[in-house]
Amino acid sequence: MNEAMEPANDQRQRQRELALFLKTRRERLGPEQVGLPRGGRRRTPGLRREEVAMLAGVSADWYTWLEQARDIQVSAQVLDGIAAALRLDAVERRHLYLLALRQLPADPQPTDGAVPRTLRLFLERQMPCPAIATDQRMDVVAWNRMAGLIYGDYDAMSPRERNTVWRTFTSQAMRELLRDGWERHARHRLAQFRAGYARFAGDPWWMAMIEDLALESPEFGAWWPAHDVLDGPEGTKRNYHPEAGLLVFEQVSLIVSDAPHLTVTVNMPSAEGDTSAKLAQLLRDAK
């Protein structure tokens, strides 16, 4: 929803919330905490508005208008400057973005690849539902045993093969697993990938992946220029497993609160196709 579509009352309330949030974050900081002299007696606690403005690289008047809840435009670059000036942590910075722009910051892909231990435990406890965690690039970074039994041995895959878009468009096994539902699934994956790319346009990893996918897959090359975008799960999924036969799932996706660059997807067995019994048999056969 763009600003023109937002109801005036809602927009005004959001601006007031932003102003109050900035004021409280400013008042909790002393000048010595940000490397500034105290400068004599202060009438109010914390930093002065002009000090925050100086640290953030904006004019004192502009920052004052922001704390007065005026209707002014802000950019991601300016918000990052304010976040740094006010020493906001990751959660506070995301809150700032949501209040100011109604969107999360486009953070770069984390480089350490760390997956929280509790998330791995959560995935295992979804058994027998196949469950995975994907990052902003749509790489599978964690999975449970059932996901490996149905979608392939992730441990044996290369990092690129664990990318859900790459695997969808280049793996014959995925085409066989999805059969006549492959095109619907592939278009959905591509549209999710396109939506994610908007946050990282021009990034070398994304550019190389897009170029390689277009070379490897005629369908990707034909569909990418359509600029279709969407997000969210696919709903009902039908998989044709080489041993278990037809498996029908209802899909749900969740953002991980303490690692918002990760998305958990859980496929819950549907009553259709006797899927639960087939999953149980797969587990028994795998022992």
Side-chain angles (χ1 to χ4, degrees):
M1 180 174 66
N2 60 38
E3 203 157 297
M5 296 171 61
E6 184 180 17
N9 289 341
D10 292 352
Q11 180 181 337
R12 184 63 180 161
Q13 181 61 33
R14 184 172 51 80
Q15 290 165 346
R16 284 194 291 265
E17 288 290 326
L18 173 61
L20 289 170
F21 178 68
L22 291 173
K23 184 174 183 290
T24 59
R25 301 307 91 175
R26 174 172 59 82
E27 290 180 346
R28 74 179 180 179
L29 284 177
E32 62 278 358
Q33 293 175 266
V34 296
L36 296 176
R38 174 156 290 276
R41 187 174 181 180
R42 290 172 176 257
R43 293 178 296 174
T44 57
L47 296 175
R48 299 184 177 108
R49 287 172 174 171
E50 57 267 25
E51 290 171 333
V52 175
M54 179 189 68
L55 292 168
V58 298
S59 74
D61 285 343
W62 188 92
Y63 181 78
T64 298
W65 294 337
L66 202 58
E67 277 202 17
Q68 290 174 342
R70 296 199 191 183
D71 186 13
I72 58 176
Q73 297 295 315
V74 295
S75 67
Q77 182 179 1
V78 166
L79 289 179
D80 282 341
I82 292 173
L86 294 175
R87 303 295 195 266
L88 300 186
D89 62 24
V91 175
E92 291 171 326
R93 178 170 169 264
R94 291 197 296 271
H95 186 64
L96 174 68
Y97 263 76
L98 288 171
L99 288 174
L101 296 176
R102 302 185 303 289
Q103 66 185 40
L104 292 170
D107 290 321
Q109 177 82 2
T111 56
D112 59 8
V115 177
R117 181 190 64 83
T118 52
L119 175 56
R120 294 186 185 277
L121 181 61
F122 175 84
L123 294 177
E124 283 305 320
R125 289 188 175 177
Q126 300 314 298
M127 292 284 290
C129 300
I132 62 172
T134 52
D135 62 14
Q136 293 164 307
R137 294 173 174 173
M138 300 181 69
D139 290 335
V140 177
V141 296
W143 55 91
N144 64 9
R145 188 182 180 204
M146 185 58 78
L149 290 175
I150 295 175
Y151 303 118
D153 185 358
Y154 290 110
D155 284 311
M157 296 179 193
S158 68
R160 175 159 280 192
E161 288 172 330
R162 285 196 293 269
N163 180 273
T164 59
V165 184
W166 180 265
R167 188 161 168 75
T168 293
F169 281 92
T170 66
S171 168
Q172 183 60 35
M174 285 299 295
R175 290 179 182 261
E176 293 171 359
L177 185 71
L178 294 161
R179 294 190 184 177
D180 56 358
W182 178 86
E183 180 172 339
R184 174 176 172 271
H185 172 84
R187 286 183 178 273
H188 188 97
R189 275 281 180 269
L190 184 147
Q192 288 177 314
F193 191 65
R194 167 71 80 174
Y197 172 66
R199 301 176 67 187
F200 301 96
D203 179 272
W205 182 93
W206 288 78
M207 299 302 292
M209 177 62 87
I210 293 164
E211 181 178 352
D212 290 349
L213 277 166
L215 290 173
E216 291 289 330
S217 168
E219 294 95 342
F220 183 93
W223 299 341
W224 179 255
H227 287 261
D228 292 332
V229 293
L230 52 80
D231 202 356
E234 294 180 65
T236 302
K237 290 185 63 178
R238 286 175 168 79
N239 296 155
Y240 297 86
H241 193 271
E243 298 172 16
L246 174 64
L247 302 172
V248 185
F249 298 103
E250 298 296 333
Q251 189 179 87
V252 63
S253 293
L254 310 165
I255 301 296
V256 181
S257 61
D258 59 348
H261 63 289
L262 299 179
T263 299
V264 168
T265 300
V266 179
N267 290 302
M268 301 174 291
S270 169
E272 182 182 350
D274 201 19
T275 300
S276 291
K278 292 176 179 177
L279 295 181
Q281 186 62 49
L282 270 179
L283 281 176
R284 287 193 293 269
D285 293 343
K287 290 181 179 179

